[in-house]
Amino acid sequence: MRVGILSYPMLFQRDGGLQIQVRETIAALNRVMPRTPRSLQVQLVDANHGYLSDYDVIHVFSAINGNYRIVETACELGLPVVLSPLLSPGWNRAAAWRARLVDRLAGRLTDWMVQTSYAQSKRALQLASLVIALGEAERTAIIDGFGMEESKIRVFPNGINPHFFTANSDLFRRETGIDRPFVLMVGSISPYKNQLGLAQALAGSNLPVVLIGAAPRADQAYLQQLLALRHVSWLGPLDHADPLLASAFNAAAVAALPSQGEVFPLSVLEALAAGTPVVMTAQSALDLPASAFALRKVRWDDGQAQRLAIEQLVAQRPERAAVQALVEQFTWDRVASQIADCYFGLQAGAGSLTALAGRGRRRHAI
């Protein structure tokens, strides 16, 4: 079976959690050893030269940025579609009511020439054969915010690369000279990620803030505001596989992610895998049972609560092995095996539909 992976065209022009998720998912899926006589080949679709009809199943990552059109085209060809929508857990019935109202107003004002991203995401969800949520909070958001039936939603989390579990602080200490407790924040430098709010909250706390992440051109002024604070240092962007990144997670006293919203943040999982406690935004789909001793959730705009949670974790740091145990089950190979079973199940159930669409497929470009 051939599976084609797609997302929006500009996805890999930057690097972040979604890019890592897509790359690691593909790599792990291609390591899956299907039961004979099943075979599995998974690859990114070249949207400029390839055809959706060359694949048996299409897997689309992200329900926004016009990706509903990919889902529509695949459905027209009779192909099963798996959708990983990556929706904010903030979607609920009230938010959905407001979004539908705005969509109707926009349509009437423009003679239905304008469609909101909410409407596009909902169409992608409705057409998809199977929807994969990263956690229970996203699953609830899909049901309450978009009216999806529970039966076609599966919950599979992200995975964690094994080297984060075995990292140590030596490389980071040697490269940076930082040998005291510090707070680490990994992510793109932007007001949405809220590095400045974190830094201001920790002013005078005797806890340096170390930032890792790319700074887009539009946010250079924001970066300069950060660097003007004496307790803030920036290491720039690091490749996800760079040993210095894993070492930084291990060396930190606390990792922080007080952004305005996250779905299932890899940086939090990686920090926990390195044995480092985390203070993160409450606006997230990540939910780990019995994790309060090492994972604190606070409002993104409550600097006082962020500082208090960080200082408490620094003062009473949990045992590293106990922190790592929270995420030991999150492996890319385990997730890939579950996703692969979904692919084969969809292929088996779509046989007649695929045959019906077969004759004219190769005339359809992406």
Side-chain angles (χ1 to χ4, degrees):
M1 177 174 60
R2 297 191 69 202
V3 177
I5 305 289
L6 294 97
S7 189
Y8 53 90
M10 300 304 290
L11 176 66
F12 289 107
Q13 298 305 309
R14 57 181 295 273
D15 208 23
L18 175 55
Q19 291 81 359
I20 294 166
Q21 180 188 358
V22 172
R23 290 192 188 104
E24 295 294 340
T25 300
I26 292 173
L29 283 166
N30 283 315
R31 291 194 299 268
V32 170
M33 299 297 292
R35 295 184 297 274
T36 304
R38 303 192 312 186
S39 64
L40 181 64
Q41 293 179 300
V42 183
Q43 65 185 75
L44 281 171
V45 177
D46 182 346
N48 293 314
H49 303 97
Y51 295 88
L52 293 185
S53 56
D54 291 335
Y55 300 90
D56 301 295
V57 174
I58 297 298
H59 189 161
V60 179
F61 283 79
S62 180
I64 62 172
N65 294 324
N67 284 349
Y68 77 103
R69 295 291 295 163
I70 303 173
V71 181
E72 283 183 339
T73 303
C75 288
E76 288 171 4
L77 294 169
L79 292 169
V81 178
V82 176
L83 176 65
S84 294
L86 307 173
L87 293 170
S88 166
W91 283 108
N92 53 34
R93 289 185 176 88
W97 180 85
R98 292 191 294 269
R100 289 193 298 270
L101 177 62
V102 169
D103 187 58
R104 287 195 296 270
L105 288 173
R108 290 172 180 172
L109 289 172
T110 63
D111 196 23
W112 306 103
M113 295 175 64
V114 171
Q115 190 178 53
T116 64
S117 60
Y118 173 82
Q120 294 176 357
S121 296
K122 184 169 184 176
R123 177 151 178 79
L125 287 162
Q126 288 173 330
L127 290 175
S129 309
L130 185 72
V131 175
I132 295 179
L134 288 172
E136 288 298 330
E138 187 186 8
R139 176 180 174 276
T140 300
I142 293 168
I143 294 169
D144 292 348
F146 295 85
M148 296 297 100
E149 60 268 27
E150 298 183 34
S151 60
K152 76 172 187 179
I153 302 173
R154 303 291 183 272
V155 178
F156 302 138
N158 278 328
I160 306 170
N161 285 76
H163 70 275
F164 287 100
F165 287 95
T166 58
N168 65 61
S169 63
D170 294 348
L171 178 61
F172 178 85
R173 304 292 186 195
R174 185 169 63 250
E175 292 290 325
T176 66
I178 299 174
D179 59 1
R180 55 187 288 201
F182 68 93
V183 177
L184 176 69
M185 184 168 175
V186 177
S188 59
I189 308 298
S190 72
Y192 186 83
K193 291 294 186 180
N194 194 35
Q195 286 94 346
L196 186 58
L198 173 70
Q200 291 171 338
L202 291 175
S205 68
N206 201 34
L207 281 170
V209 177
V210 176
L211 306 177
I212 295 175
R217 179 177 297 182
D219 293 313
Q220 288 297 310
Y222 185 76
L223 174 62
Q224 294 308 313
Q225 283 183 276
L226 284 162
L227 296 180
L229 300 174
R230 296 182 61 183
H231 65 297
V232 174
S233 59
W234 177 53
L235 301 186
L238 292 178
D239 187 81
H240 185 245
D242 192 325
L244 184 59
L245 177 61
S247 183
F249 275 126
N250 182 270
V254 174
L257 190 64
S259 56
Q260 294 183 36
E262 299 286 342
V263 181
F264 205 86
L266 278 171
S267 63
V268 170
L269 298 180
E270 291 160 355
L272 296 172
T276 298
V278 176
V279 173
M280 67 173 295
T281 178
Q283 189 73 6
S284 172
L286 180 61
D287 183 23
L288 299 177
S291 62
F293 73 95
L295 178 62
R296 307 286 177 85
K297 290 188 174 184
V298 297
R299 285 182 53 88
W300 74 271
D301 55 354
D302 191 341
Q304 184 177 357
Q306 293 166 24
R307 176 168 177 159
L308 178 61
I310 289 170
E311 289 179 338
Q312 287 175 342
L313 288 171
V314 172
Q316 295 183 321
R317 176 158 182 159
E319 182 184 358
R320 192 177 295 274
V323 177
Q324 293 176 310
L326 291 172
V327 293
E328 62 185 358
Q329 77 276 23
F330 292 98
T331 68
W332 288 112
D333 287 345
R334 177 179 179 181
V335 173
S337 179
Q338 294 170 317
I339 294 174
D341 285 341
C342 290
Y343 292 159
F344 286 111
L346 287 175
Q347 185 192 37
S352 59
L353 186 61
T354 301
L356 185 64
R359 178 170 296 183
R361 276 188 185 179
R362 295 191 179 275
R363 294 195 296 268
H364 292 263
I366 295 168

